[in-house]
Amino acid sequence: MSTLTNTIKPDIFAAETQPWTWIFALALFVSFIQAGTMGANDVGNNFGTSVGSKVLSVKAAIILAAIWVSAGALSIGSSVAKTVGKGIVDYTLYADQPQLFMLGMLLASMATAMWVGFATALSMPVSTTHSIVGAVIGFGLVEFGADGLDWGEVIKIVISWFASPLISGIVAALLYLPAKHFIMLPVQRDPDISSCCLFSAIRRRFPRACSFKRFT
């Protein structure tokens, strides 16, 4: 009897862990697709102003995005990943069946990749943050209902969605007004000043502060 039990146990263990392996492997594949669709949309959003105004070429924007997006993700991206992974859904409810949590996150990534990819194909600038947060909330509600979510964290995220464009607009206005007054208007008044020579415009506006010679 002991021999029979020892022979069966490894097969049962393999059968129980096999779905986890497939979920993990598929999650890696979906993550690459999701990263591609999110990068295509986010880079278009972030660098659309620079490329549209001819400040940067498309090639330069892609290179800069690859460098700085990677640097940001590696340096401070872990806090956001922690919020999305553990802050929205109460993961402790999945302690007895962690494979359900893995499956839910996999499908959330899949849904995000599909929607963002579809929106990008239609040239629609959408929020990838809204997409992934909504997908995670969706699977959490399906599995445990309202009790499956950390509503305090969800409310903070929703508040940030409304606060972000407001704060960005205020900061942009505060930066634009002095730039227009001290840089662009002097350039427009003096046609001899090239729009690229911002230093010349600043030096004409503040001659004492810029009394040192410019190296050419």
Side-chain angles (χ1 to χ4, degrees):
M1 186 68 177
S2 60
T3 304
L4 180 61
T5 303
N6 292 333
T7 304
I8 292 176
K9 273 187 177 181
D11 294 334
I12 296 176
F13 179 76
E16 290 178 349
T17 56
Q18 187 176 4
W20 296 43
T21 305
W22 282 105
I23 293 173
F24 177 75
L26 189 57
L28 289 177
F29 176 74
V30 172
S31 296
F32 282 109
I33 298 177
Q34 180 188 5
T37 57
M38 295 176 72
N41 203 286
D42 283 346
V43 170
N45 293 339
N46 297 335
F47 287 91
T49 53
S50 301
V51 175
S53 60
K54 307 299 182 181
V55 175
L56 293 175
S57 64
V58 175
K59 182 179 179 181
I62 293 174
I63 294 174
L64 289 174
I67 295 173
W68 293 108
V69 170
S70 300
L74 293 173
S75 59
I76 58 177
S78 59
S79 58
V80 178
K82 183 178 179 180
T83 300
V84 175
K86 295 183 178 181
I88 300 173
V89 175
D90 187 0
Y91 66 95
T92 59
L93 298 175
Y94 299 85
D96 295 333
Q97 294 179 304
Q99 66 271 24
L100 289 180
F101 186 73
M102 294 174 63
L103 181 62
M105 285 296 182
L106 168 63
L107 295 179
S109 297
M110 211 180 263
T112 303
M114 293 172 62
W115 161 241
V116 176
F118 176 75
T120 304
L122 296 179
S123 302
M124 297 169 54
V126 298
S127 172
T128 56
T129 304
H130 294 189
S131 302
I132 187 63
V133 169
V136 173
I137 290 175
F139 100 79
L141 288 174
V142 168
E143 185 61 32
F144 288 103
D147 295 334
L149 302 178
D150 184 347
W151 287 104
E153 194 67 35
V154 172
I155 291 173
K156 287 195 296 184
I157 294 173
V158 173
I159 291 175
S160 71
W161 290 349
F162 290 96
S164 294
L166 179 62
I167 295 174
S168 298
I170 294 173
V171 173
L174 293 176
L175 293 176
Y176 176 76
L177 290 175
K180 178 182 178 181
H181 183 71
F182 295 115
I183 298 175
M184 298 307 299
L185 290 181
V187 171
Q188 292 175 355
R189 294 192 189 102
D190 190 346
D192 294 332
I193 302 177
S194 172
S195 60
C196 297
C197 299
L198 299 181
F199 178 81
S200 298
I202 297 173
R203 187 173 60 178
R204 287 171 180 264
R205 188 70 181 180
F206 304 100
R208 294 183 179 179
C210 304
S211 59
F212 57 87
K213 293 183 179 180
R214 181 184 174 189
F215 291 93
T216 57

